[in-house]
Amino acid sequence: MRGALRNQRFLTLGIESSCDDTAVAILEGQSKVMSSLISSQLELHAPYGGVVPELASRDHQERILPLLFSAISEAGIKDPSSELGLIGVTAGPGLMGSLLVGVMTAKALAQAWELPLLGVNHLEGHLFANVIHSPQLTPPFLTLLVSGGHTEVILVKAFGDYTLLGCTRDDAAGEAYDKLAKVLGLGYPGGPAIDRLAGLGNGDAFPLPVPMADTLRVEFSFSGLKTAVLNLLHKLESDGAFPVEDVCASFQKAVVRALLVKVDLAVRMTGVKRVALSGGVAANSGLRAAFLAREDWQVFLPPANLCTDNGAMVAAAAYSGYWRGHRSGLDLSPDPALPLVSD
Ligand code: KG4
Ligand code: ZN
């Protein structure tokens, strides 16, 4: 019987299309990745310095089916209808047009192949990237979720039991990286380029403010830091000296400090010392080094390919939700502002 036995070659198809990456993966059980393919739209959006929603959804439409069939064949699946146990798809948050492509595709396949369907929250997906990489990671743990759209600290009391301890008041950490990169002409997305340049510079060259460092709440704000670094750039320009590596290193030092200080606060507030990083910014070398240096925490870091958007994390979240009893109907519709809710 299909999907009868948990963990016994139960295969989940995960589909992610919430923003600018079309991603599909096949996961066996909770954490064995059988195939994971991503079609990146970086080149498509690069000339615009950010994601253009109309271009994103059109590209998802063109790429999703070929990608899906490649992922299925790479996983050695001959008959999806009898071999797959579940289809998981990101239902939000994200761009409406992009989400629609994934959700409509998942619904059509679920109907054609007579498979159960589960819409998952993209943020829950990100936190499950850690479960794929570290199957020994069990709740309770804290997750710092840092991406282009989110900067949040979540207490995972159990899978399906999430408490948002705090988030950003304005820009997300990844957004701050992308905005600085745009001004510096480093292209989109800016995180990797700034990270690389920061590694060549001196983080103490320009003291930048560490936002919210002294408040006793888990909260972030990156718009003030963005303004401070833009003012610094104007000053350096008028001085005629432009040590871009030092600017990037100083910016990265402030961002990492702002994130670390609040995770530290969350650890003290909850007494939970297992800390997992997730989301695209979790690929940042400065952030990873700062976390790994915390010998008083048990730190979990997914590899870079699981930090950024991927289908495996969606499949893993769907697998967990399915065995917690969740199912979606064929009336599933995407929600661009889908909140992360507990069971
Ligand atoms: O999770 P993700 O792939 O997509 C969203 O859900 O947003 O994250 C993308 C974000 C972008 O803002 C990108 O600049 C940032 O992650 N990012 C990085 C690094 N790699 C990706 N930021 C800092 N350092 C990096 N190495
Ligand atoms: Zn994401």
Side-chain angles (χ1 to χ4, degrees):
M1 195 197 341
R2 176 193 299 152
L5 292 176
R6 185 173 185 173
N7 290 329
Q8 241 191 33
R9 205 171 153 76
F10 185 99
L11 298 179
T12 304
L13 164 65
I15 301 176
E16 155 64 38
S17 71
S18 64
C19 188
D20 58 344
D21 287 317
T22 324
V24 181
I26 306 286
L27 192 75
E28 181 179 333
Q30 180 67 91
S31 52
K32 188 171 172 193
V33 181
M34 305 300 293
S35 64
S36 181
L37 299 178
I38 298 176
S39 168
S40 166
Q41 298 183 357
L42 284 188
E43 282 177 20
L44 186 66
H45 302 291
Y48 306 96
V51 177
V52 183
E54 290 77 7
L55 295 182
S57 56
R58 196 184 313 154
D59 200 66
H60 284 308
Q61 271 177 45
E62 281 169 18
R63 295 183 189 266
I64 197 158
L65 285 180
L67 202 67
L68 216 137
F69 289 113
S70 298
I72 285 173
S73 115
E74 221 175 81
I77 295 173
K78 305 256 173 332
D79 176 15
S81 174
S82 65
E83 292 178 63
L84 287 174
L86 173 67
I87 299 179
V89 61
T90 301
L95 299 170
M96 187 50 151
S98 292
L99 289 165
L100 261 173
V101 178
V103 169
M104 296 310 283
T105 305
K107 288 198 316 190
L109 294 178
Q111 193 168 27
W113 292 339
E114 296 179 34
L115 289 168
L117 171 73
L118 186 56
V120 306
N121 185 296
H122 183 76
L123 307 184
E124 191 178 18
H126 271 303
L127 72 89
F128 267 92
N130 280 288
V131 180
I132 297 173
H133 183 60
S134 309
Q136 75 278 18
L137 172 63
T138 50
F141 64 89
L142 293 168
T143 289
L144 171 65
L145 203 163
V146 265
S147 71
H150 296 271
T151 306
E152 298 173 357
V153 180
I154 299 163
L155 170 63
V156 181
K157 283 186 245 158
F159 292 126
D161 186 352
Y162 309 116
T163 304
L164 177 65
L165 298 178
C167 60
T168 180
R169 290 169 155 229
D170 39 60
D171 291 353
E175 203 177 346
Y177 269 94
D178 295 338
K179 285 180 177 168
L180 175 59
K182 194 170 179 180
V183 174
L184 291 174
L186 296 173
Y188 175 85
I194 292 183
D195 190 7
R196 191 171 36 78
L197 289 170
L200 305 171
N202 172 14
D204 295 319
F206 305 106
L208 288 167
V210 177
M212 305 276 171
D214 298 324
T215 71
L216 284 176
R217 281 187 297 272
V218 179
E219 58 186 344
F220 307 92
S221 165
F222 290 103
S223 72
L225 176 60
K226 182 187 63 192
T227 309
V229 77
L230 293 185
N231 288 341
L232 171 67
L233 291 178
H234 289 142
K235 184 179 173 304
L236 291 173
E237 243 172 10
S238 59
D239 291 353
F242 207 96
V244 69
E245 292 88 354
D246 288 347
V247 172
C248 291
S250 301
F251 171 78
Q252 183 143 307
K253 186 173 179 183
V255 173
V256 169
R257 182 95 198 101
L259 295 171
L260 203 74
V261 101
K262 293 303 178 183
V263 175
D264 197 31
L265 179 62
V267 168
R268 283 185 280 125
M269 278 165 57
T270 58
V272 175
K273 292 188 172 181
R274 284 177 192 202
V275 183
L277 263 181
S278 55
V281 184
N284 185 267
S285 61
L287 188 60
R288 295 172 83 88
F291 268 68
L292 287 173
R294 293 298 300 246
E295 287 175 2
D296 49 336
W297 299 347
Q298 201 184 347
V299 172
F300 294 86
L301 301 176
N305 64 333
L306 282 173
C307 290
T308 44
D309 293 348
N310 63 88
M313 69 184 202
V314 176
Y319 176 83
S320 172
Y322 177 81
W323 290 105
R324 301 197 312 266
H326 296 294
R327 308 284 184 274
S328 298
L330 289 175
D331 57 349
L332 175 69
S333 38
D335 179 353
L338 188 69
L340 182 65
V341 290
S342 294
D343 290 351

